[in-house]
Amino acid sequence: MPDDDMTSEREFNERNIEEFRRNGGKVGGQFEGFPLLLLTSSGAKSGAERVNLVAYFDIDDKIYVVGSAAGRDESPAWVFNLRAHSHVQVEIGAEPKRPVVARELTREDRDRIYRIIVERAPGFGEYETRTDRVIPVFELVADN
């Protein structure tokens, strides 16, 4: 991705993160009405704190996030961060930041959960057709 694309994407993310925090977890525009959380992770290589606005799914009282990258051939950077450092923090709605552990689902569990995700948000089915990679799904479990 060219540098100016990276800059504009970073600025877009920062604006949405600010809006999320200002509005108790709500973001308008293309994200209107979609359940979102802020995921704070450590950079896989740098170890630097990274904050990402991520869609989530509450399925059977468990929280899942999907590394779809809208069907691009590479997973979003936060996927690599979670694989390197599974202890992360989330903000959901107006709740304060809380620690969780990101557990990547096995292929069998991922396929079962992904079917439910596609039922709820059909765009994720389209993302899957755009790439040859298996789109990863992580469960976020309370870090006690």
Side-chain angles (χ1 to χ4, degrees):
M1 187 179 294
D3 282 346
D4 39 333
D5 285 351
M6 288 287 282
T7 300
S8 61
E9 187 172 334
R10 194 172 305 120
E11 289 170 354
F12 175 76
N13 288 335
E14 287 172 9
R15 279 194 309 272
N16 286 313
I17 289 166
E18 288 172 18
E19 184 178 348
F20 179 99
R21 288 184 170 144
R22 221 178 25 251
N23 297 316
K26 296 195 181 348
V27 179
Q30 71 189 66
F31 302 113
E32 184 81 41
F34 212 83
L36 301 169
L37 59 76
L38 292 182
L39 177 70
T40 302
S41 61
S42 299
K45 293 180 185 170
S46 70
E49 183 176 275
R50 304 283 187 229
V51 180
N52 296 95
L53 183 69
V54 181
Y56 76 92
F57 295 87
D58 183 334
I59 300 170
D60 298 328
D61 293 322
K62 295 178 181 176
I63 301 296
Y64 297 96
V65 292
V66 182
S68 68
R72 292 193 293 270
D73 285 330
E74 287 200 24
S75 292
W78 61 261
V79 166
F80 300 100
N81 297 346
L82 296 188
R83 287 174 175 157
H85 308 285
S86 63
H87 291 265
V88 298
Q89 295 182 319
V90 294
E91 295 169 63
I92 298 176
E95 295 175 14
K97 196 182 283 189
R98 62 185 163 104
V100 296
V101 177
R103 183 182 67 81
E104 188 166 2
L105 300 185
T106 63
R107 181 62 188 264
E108 182 180 338
D109 287 342
R110 177 253 176 230
D111 290 350
R112 180 178 56 79
I113 293 299
Y114 206 86
R115 280 192 296 276
I116 296 167
I117 289 168
V118 169
E119 286 172 14
R120 293 186 184 179
F124 282 85
E126 183 182 323
Y127 298 158
E128 205 170 27
T129 66
R130 294 182 190 168
T131 184
D132 290 332
R133 72 182 170 88
V134 175
I135 294 174
V137 178
F138 293 82
E139 179 183 358
L140 303 179
V141 181
D143 187 5
N144 298 333

